[in-house]
Amino acid sequence: MTVTESSADVASTTPPPRWKLWKLTPSQRRARGRSARDWAPRAQQGEWRAGPDRPDPIALLESQAETRVPELLPIRYGRMSVSPGTFYRGAALIMAADLAGTPTSGVTVQLCGDAHLMNFGVFASPERQLVFDINDFDETLPGPWEWDVKRLVASLEIAGRDRGFRRDQREEVVLACAQEYRERIRESSSMRTLDAWYAHLDVEEVDRWMEQEVREKRLGKREHKEVGRDIAKARTRDHVRVFARRVGEVGGHLRIVGDPPLITPIEDLVGTPEEHAAVEQSIRKLLKSYRKTLSQDHHPIEEFRFVHLARKVVGVGSVGTRCWILLLTGRDKNDPLFLQAKEAQASVLERYVGASAYRHHGRRVVAGQHLMQAATDIFLGWQRAVGLDGTARDYYIRQFQDWKGSVEIDTLSPSGALLYGRVCATALARAHARWGDRIAVASYLGKGDVFDRAMVEFARRYADQNERDYEALLGAIRSGRLPVEYGV
């Protein structure tokens, strides 16, 4: 029996079902990618212009405010107002709306959904090795692979403008990033299945890249040392360090120390001791239910007991969503564990690619992270909890501060930014290759640089749009339309 191609398999913008996709032969999958060039020419991927019916970007931000903590919204807008780059970090919904009108090849992957350069970094694998990968999955959802790539390259262009790079330097950075993504996808397309799934980027590989760049005088020794210091610093960011900085004793009990409005202990958010006790009891029940979402039969969480809880403000785009840090202890108070419970709302992509298959958004985030990361936190789970206002919300739970670190973007030189863009592109390509049709994507991209140069054009055009939207934000703040709190 032989498998034959059909036009429905390889020449439609509608992706085949997952079970059907894997029934295609490699040659059929290559044909699927090549045929996509007919309705989505690679050069057209560089196009961007705002249409007359483009949604008001400020109205989109206001729509997100409806489900967020009102008193934290001024912090969000204040953080977004610092620069076009910080605005971009909080504008995932705006860009999702814009990307919905751009050409796509019709090949679906598991998207990060917010793949800007600040959502990559180093963290500890379960084997206690430092790896570099995507580290934020709040918006993860299946969708067009091009959207993640465009989010990444635009962030590099915007960061280059914030840093004062010349236009030719910014173009070189974006071109290198797009080329690296294309070459890594093509590399994955020829791998055996398990090799593609197991591929990961550890810090030793990153260091070898840097050493090569130093030898060829494309990267300075100083920058190499600075990255080495950042990596060494990441190893110190563990639970013991957080404990020393954030925990004190009150009445003989361990308590997370407040730093309002960024860190607010639970006692400062509830009215009476009875309400406080009720909240703590519900947290203990929540942790028992959360344990069921962890895959192992035996898990270290069983050796820890809940001690204290505080609300924490995190990030830029996430500000206003509910986020909690939980202090637990193991054998004694010198054996701490910090967990972060972060609210998971609907992905910003859902309006444009359809609802998630998961009714629980915490589970959506966890499932997406498992698909995209080569090594994932063993404490990653999900839970639904009733908040202080009586409303049930979805959360995902993970370790807080476990060898996490990132490159200091604000100090990167053009050569450092170029290398960092390549590293991010490698991580993104390997993430897309695990669940998406890497053979079709590689076939669509091809051996030449047509797509790479289109990304340079897209990044430039979209950075221009981002600057216009940033000015709209500043205008909304000046007019009083948006409340703002600076420096928090």
Side-chain angles (χ1 to χ4, degrees):
M1 181 180 295
T2 60
V3 179
T4 59
E5 292 182 2
S6 72
S7 59
D9 287 336
V10 299
S12 169
T13 56
T14 302
R18 296 293 299 170
W19 63 268
K20 190 175 182 181
L21 174 61
W22 307 131
K23 290 180 178 292
L24 301 179
T25 65
S27 63
Q28 289 173 318
R29 292 161 70 181
R30 283 191 289 272
R32 180 178 175 231
R34 283 194 300 272
S35 66
R37 299 177 188 176
D38 295 337
W39 62 78
R42 290 166 296 173
Q44 287 185 10
Q45 295 280 6
E47 296 178 358
W48 162 252
R49 62 179 60 87
D53 58 346
R54 182 178 188 251
D56 173 14
I58 306 306
L60 289 175
L61 295 179
E62 289 174 322
S63 71
Q64 291 183 298
E66 295 172 3
T67 59
R68 301 197 178 201
V69 180
E71 63 265 28
L72 299 181
L73 292 174
I75 298 175
R76 184 189 192 204
Y77 301 137
R79 290 183 175 184
M80 290 181 69
S81 71
V82 172
S83 70
T86 60
F87 173 83
Y88 185 78
R89 288 180 61 185
L93 175 58
I94 297 170
M95 191 169 190
D98 290 334
L99 289 172
T102 58
T104 67
S105 61
V107 182
T108 296
V109 302
Q110 185 71 30
L111 292 176
C112 163
D114 192 16
H116 64 73
L117 77 172
M118 293 297 292
N119 278 344
F120 293 77
V122 296
F123 54 88
S125 73
E127 296 77 26
R128 313 316 292 162
Q129 300 294 319
L130 268 178
V131 296
F132 183 94
D133 213 333
I134 307 167
N135 60 17
D136 189 301
F137 299 89
D138 287 11
E139 313 301 347
T140 187
L141 207 65
W145 59 270
E146 294 96 333
W147 291 9
D148 270 353
V149 178
K150 289 178 177 179
R151 182 87 171 135
L152 176 57
V153 296
S155 73
L156 288 165
E157 170 71 19
I158 292 165
R161 294 184 183 194
D162 282 355
R163 292 283 298 125
F165 298 169
R166 299 190 313 267
R167 176 168 174 162
D168 64 306
Q169 292 172 327
R170 301 195 305 268
E171 290 181 353
E172 188 178 10
V173 169
V174 173
L175 186 67
C177 174
Q179 177 182 339
E180 193 72 34
Y181 178 87
R182 175 174 54 82
E183 292 179 351
R184 292 295 181 170
I185 281 288
R186 290 181 59 80
E187 177 185 65
S188 297
S189 72
S190 61
M191 289 180 175
R192 292 176 295 186
T193 301
L194 290 183
D195 290 340
W197 275 85
Y198 291 148
H200 66 280
L201 187 60
D202 57 36
V203 294
E204 285 75 18
E205 183 176 352
V206 174
D207 193 56
R208 288 193 294 272
W209 281 25
M210 290 191 294
E211 289 176 348
Q212 178 70 20
E213 294 294 298
V214 170
R215 284 195 296 272
E216 297 180 7
K217 301 187 184 303
R218 290 192 295 265
L219 185 72
K221 292 182 179 180
R222 180 182 60 81
E223 281 188 295
H224 186 192
K225 289 180 180 179
E226 287 177 353
V227 173
R229 283 196 295 269
D230 289 339
I231 291 172
K233 191 184 300 182
R235 294 182 187 274
T236 70
R237 294 190 177 111
D238 59 11
H239 301 286
V240 174
R241 178 176 179 267
V242 179
F243 184 87
R245 296 182 62 191
R246 295 296 183 194
V247 176
E249 279 200 29
V250 178
H253 301 285
L254 295 178
R255 292 291 181 261
I256 300 170
V257 177
D259 182 20
L262 302 183
I263 299 177
T264 308
I266 186 62
E267 307 91 90
D268 297 340
L269 296 172
V270 298
T272 66
E274 290 76 19
E275 289 175 325
H276 181 200
V279 169
E280 291 199 342
Q281 182 61 27
S282 67
I283 292 296
R284 292 186 176 91
K285 290 181 180 178
L286 180 148
L287 287 171
K288 289 181 180 179
S289 298
Y290 149 72
R291 168 65 184 94
K292 297 174 184 177
T293 70
L294 303 177
S295 57
Q296 293 90 338
D297 290 335
H298 303 287
H299 195 281
I301 191 66
E302 296 160 1
E303 298 189 36
F304 289 88
R305 66 179 185 86
F306 171 72
V307 175
H308 197 221
L309 173 74
R311 188 179 72 186
K312 190 174 190 311
V313 174
V314 293
V316 177
S318 295
V319 177
T321 58
R322 286 99 186 143
C323 181
W324 303 89
I325 51 174
L326 289 73
L327 169 63
L328 297 88
T329 55
R331 56 180 295 167
D332 54 37
K333 68 178 184 179
N334 296 315
D335 184 20
L337 170 67
F338 285 89
L339 297 178
Q340 180 187 67
K342 191 175 181 185
E343 183 182 1
Q345 299 185 348
S347 167
V348 297
L349 304 181
E350 282 200 6
R351 304 185 191 189
Y352 313 104
V353 299
S356 171
Y358 296 100
R359 297 182 64 183
H360 191 298
H361 288 294
R363 188 174 184 183
R364 169 185 60 79
V365 172
V366 170
Q369 185 164 343
H370 278 297
L371 285 172
M372 297 193 77
Q373 278 189 336
T376 301
D377 182 5
I378 64 171
F379 287 90
L380 184 65
W382 70 89
Q383 195 49 252
R384 180 167 289 150
V386 177
L388 300 176
D389 59 357
T391 301
R393 295 182 176 87
D394 294 343
Y395 291 84
Y396 66 93
I397 302 169
R398 62 184 178 182
Q399 289 187 78
F400 177 68
Q401 295 274 339
D402 186 40
W403 288 13
K404 292 181 174 67
S406 59
V407 171
E408 293 293 334
I409 304 299
D410 293 340
T411 62
L412 282 179
S413 68
S415 59
L418 188 149
L419 178 60
Y420 185 69
R422 289 178 57 207
V423 173
C424 292
T426 295
L428 183 62
R430 289 176 176 174
H432 284 176
R434 291 188 187 97
W435 188 81
D437 189 347
R438 53 191 174 273
I439 295 176
V441 176
S443 178
Y444 174 81
L445 290 171
K447 297 179 181 179
D449 66 355
V450 176
F451 178 81
D452 310 351
R453 296 196 175 280
M455 289 302 94
V456 173
E457 182 66 15
F458 175 85
R460 180 184 63 79
R461 293 186 177 196
Y462 200 80
D464 290 344
Q465 181 63 59
N466 183 74
E467 289 178 359
R468 292 190 289 269
D469 292 346
Y470 173 65
E471 290 301 323
L473 174 78
L474 298 183
I477 290 172
R478 287 192 295 267
S479 70
R481 178 177 175 180
L482 296 180
V484 65
E485 185 171 352
Y486 295 108
V488 181

